[in-house]
Amino acid sequence: MASKEPLVISDKNQMRKWSRRMRSQGKTIGLVPTMGYLHEGHISLIRQAHNLADVIAVSIYVNPGQFSPTEDLSTYPSDFDGDIRKLMAVSGGVDVVFHPHNLYDYGSNTKKTKSGSDNDGVVLSCIEEKGMGHETWVRVENLEKGLCGKSRPIFFRGVATIVTKLFNIVEPDVAVFGKKDYQQWRIIQRMVRDLDFSVEVIGSEITRESDGLAMSSRNVHLLPEERKKALSISKSLLGAKSAAENGQVNCEKLRNLVIQAVSEAGGRIDYAEIVDQESLETVESIKSPAVFCVAAWFGKVRLIDNMEINL
């Protein structure tokens, strides 16, 4: 049975007023930040938020600050009306959807920044390329360097900045992030700790398709044959986890298992790293809680997945 229709707010000042009104009534606020095109993975985050807070806010905003001009911002899938229908179908519903048009629009145009290729090799975000006048960025300096940070050097700067903006606008008590984006979750946790945000950051387990593929908004771009081949990621990660639990704790050998399986399936490895769950530093042997993180290309689609290994 469909739930109530959520209040949709696009203005950040109105969003802040709503949150403060809820708090004045003694209610706790849960936030689930998304970029829309919702799937069951997002819905699982909302269900978890219901267990942690009295009222639920979902943000839907494709953040240009985390994309470089050469990345897939313009092709990122969107279906706002469909998203609202999915939110209404969630048990307990969602109280508010924060759907801003542009969180980097300050009402004045500034001089256009040079594009990344003409700017001494410095990678810019879509925001900087368009000259929006935004020049304040939040960085979690060490955690952002490895894994996805190697091939997407501005990505986590953009994520940390937009999440800071969302926290300042929505003022939630708790925020739920998916562990599929493991590095992102750890970066937000560290940022909240270091900058004394009064927000509890919760990591929710990966939601998978029935065949094991980690749910992602980008999966829609996979051709049917590519999708079958992409199962090599989750299958090989499960194999590596099983091997570790059976005593194979040499990370190079475990990495080779996954790299070989994904490569033989036609995937192009971006990275396959076993890192400490907290520091995200690579480990040579699994002696404490670790996580095996993988990013690989199948066709034109870059997929990420991970598996925690707790021996």
Side-chain angles (χ1 to χ4, degrees):
M1 186 175 70
S3 300
K4 63 191 174 188
E5 187 169 349
L7 174 67
V8 177
I9 297 176
S10 58
D11 180 79
K12 57 189 176 185
N13 294 317
Q14 291 301 317
M15 182 67 243
R16 191 176 285 117
K17 286 179 182 177
W18 181 90
S19 292
R20 292 181 178 180
R21 188 166 68 252
M22 292 300 107
R23 185 159 285 111
S24 72
Q25 297 171 12
K27 296 177 180 178
T28 55
I29 301 166
L31 171 65
V32 179
T34 81
M35 295 211 301
Y37 210 72
L38 303 181
H39 52 65
E40 185 57 34
H42 298 107
I43 302 305
S44 72
L45 305 183
I46 295 166
R47 291 197 192 101
Q48 186 158 355
H50 269 294
N51 297 325
L52 302 167
D54 299 320
V55 292
I56 306 302
V58 172
S59 63
I60 296 178
Y61 181 64
V62 180
N63 172 35
Q66 68 196 53
F67 291 85
S68 77
T70 61
E71 291 179 324
D72 58 352
L73 173 63
S74 62
T75 61
Y76 199 87
S78 174
D79 179 14
F80 185 73
D81 291 340
D83 289 344
I84 296 296
R85 288 194 295 271
K86 289 174 184 176
L87 294 175
M88 289 177 65
V90 178
S91 177
V94 166
D95 296 278
V96 65
V97 172
F98 181 44
H99 183 50
H101 171 63
N102 184 359
L103 287 178
Y104 301 89
D105 183 0
Y106 305 109
S108 62
N109 293 320
T110 59
K111 185 177 178 182
K112 182 176 169 66
T113 309
K114 293 181 181 178
S115 66
S117 58
D118 298 322
N119 205 44
D120 299 325
V122 175
V123 179
L124 300 177
S125 70
C126 292
I127 292 301
E128 291 165 292
E129 187 200 39
K130 292 175 182 174
M132 295 279 200
H134 184 94
E135 56 178 314
T136 304
W137 300 98
V138 180
R139 306 205 75 142
V140 182
E141 294 188 354
N142 285 321
L143 290 186
E144 72 172 35
K145 287 179 180 175
L147 303 175
C148 285
K150 290 181 180 177
S151 59
R152 305 187 72 188
I154 63 160
F155 178 74
F156 291 116
R157 181 192 74 169
V159 167
T161 301
I162 199 64
V163 172
T164 294
K165 288 167 78 70
L166 289 171
F167 285 177
N168 283 334
I169 294 166
V170 181
E171 298 180 343
D173 297 282
V174 60
V176 184
F177 292 82
K179 283 190 182 181
K180 184 178 80 73
D181 299 288
Y182 200 90
Q183 187 176 13
Q184 170 178 281
W185 168 54
R186 288 301 193 188
I187 282 173
I188 298 304
Q189 277 193 323
R190 186 68 58 87
M191 178 188 81
V192 162
R193 184 200 76 177
D194 290 355
L195 298 182
D196 296 307
F197 281 93
S198 59
V199 182
E200 183 182 5
V201 175
I202 301 296
S204 185
E205 298 301 324
I206 296 174
T207 305
R208 298 184 180 277
E209 305 281 1
S210 58
D211 55 11
L213 186 69
M215 286 192 178
S216 169
S217 299
R218 289 189 169 93
N219 290 350
V220 69
H221 294 308
L222 289 168
L223 299 174
E225 190 61 31
E226 291 169 347
R227 195 194 177 289
K228 288 180 185 177
K229 292 176 177 178
L231 296 177
S232 60
I233 301 176
S234 57
K235 287 179 179 177
S236 61
L237 279 173
L238 270 174
K241 180 178 181 178
S242 177
E245 291 170 345
N246 287 316
Q248 176 54 272
V249 295
N250 181 292
C251 292
E252 184 178 1
K253 292 181 179 178
L254 294 172
R255 288 178 64 245
N256 287 340
L257 286 174
V258 170
I259 291 170
Q260 181 177 350
V262 174
S263 299
E264 287 180 353
R268 180 163 56 88
I269 292 283
D270 183 353
Y271 63 78
E273 300 285 351
I274 301 174
V275 300
D276 179 86
Q277 287 185 16
E278 293 282 344
S279 69
L280 303 186
E281 293 179 355
T282 56
V283 293
E284 295 181 0
S285 179
I286 301 176
K287 299 174 182 175
S288 58
V291 57
F292 198 151
C293 299
V294 174
W297 292 87
F298 283 86
K300 296 180 179 179
V301 184
R302 183 179 179 274
L303 301 175
I304 62 172
D305 201 348
N306 68 76
M307 209 155 283
E308 291 180 322
I309 302 174
N310 300 299
L311 301 184

